[in-house]
Amino acid sequence: ATLYPDSVLGLHLNMAGFTTPGGTVKNFLSQIPGMKYFLADKEDYEQVDNLFADFSKILKESGYMHLQGTKPDTLGVALSNSPLGLAAYILEKFSTWTNPSWVQEQHGGLGDKHPISKDRMITNIMIYWINNCITSSMRFYKEIFSMNQDFTRIPLTMPFAFADFPNELFRVPKFLLKSKFPNLVSFSRMPTGGHFAAMEVPSLLAEDIISFVHKVEDNKVSGDQEL
């Protein structure tokens, strides 16, 4: 979307792990007592208050990113030679990225109460194992980290929609998104769901995407109106 904006009619995301210089400034300003009332929507006050708690959670859950962004081939050798190791590496994400409180549970919440069935989790693991593609999937992180990060500062002006799930790893308040996406036309606060929303609550995510597509196709989207 950043490199070829003319080829993108609209963009829908449910995780936005980036910011712009202006967004970073707003982030710090929101921590000044009273400033959140000028910058954030009422529904986002709790997110603003928990900013540093969320940052601590990200530090705890982002070890994989540092490994994959620096030594993907080394990690890939280990995971490509142990089906149990590969399963443990992936299932750990299905646990805490679905519900962070499950980190305290003996089985990581991977029992019957998990919104994703065991068959679907195993299928996900087997796709990596049978195709021996875990290394190439991780190498993507190293390639991205090696790029000039100035491109993340470029605003995207195409119609943009965001689905905010309460258990997502990194939640971004609405006011921060507008620095990167000035044409924010839809912001949906979801009642449930985490990082794997497409597998956890597929109907919620699908309905939000379809609704956004209709808005774009009907040409009812404008940069100063949220539909």
Side-chain angles (χ1 to χ4, degrees), residues 149-169:
Q149 294 303 303
D150 285 345
F151 81 95
T152 62
R153 302 184 178 191
I154 302 174
L156 299 185
T157 58
M158 71 282 293
F160 174 69
F162 191 78
D164 178 38
F165 289 91
N167 285 331
E168 180 55 86
L169 271 177

Side-chain angles (χ1 to χ4, degrees), residues 14 98 114-116 120 163-167 190-209:
N14 59 291
T98 300
H114 200 288
I116 305 173
R120 295 188 70 188
D164 178 38
F165 289 91
N167 285 331
M190 297 300 186
T192 185
H195 184 69
F196 302 103
M199 298 177 73
E200 299 169 43
V201 285
S203 59
L204 279 179
L205 183 59
E207 289 171 6
D208 199 63
I209 293 173

Side-chain angles (χ1 to χ4, degrees), residues 18-33:
F18 45 77
T19 187
T20 61
T24 301
V25 172
K26 289 180 180 179
N27 219 350
F28 283 105
L29 285 176
S30 69
Q31 299 306 299
I32 298 175

Side-chain angles (χ1 to χ4, degrees), residues 163-207:
D164 178 38
F165 289 91
N167 285 331
E168 180 55 86
L169 271 177
F170 180 65
R171 296 181 66 195
V172 181
K174 181 179 174 182
F175 75 93
L176 289 181
L177 287 174
K178 291 182 178 179
S179 297
K180 177 71 175 179
F181 307 100
N183 196 358
L184 176 61
V185 300
S186 176
F187 187 95
S188 303
R189 294 178 174 87
M190 297 300 186
T192 185
H195 184 69
F196 302 103
M199 298 177 73
E200 299 169 43
V201 285
S203 59
L204 279 179
L205 183 59
E207 289 171 6

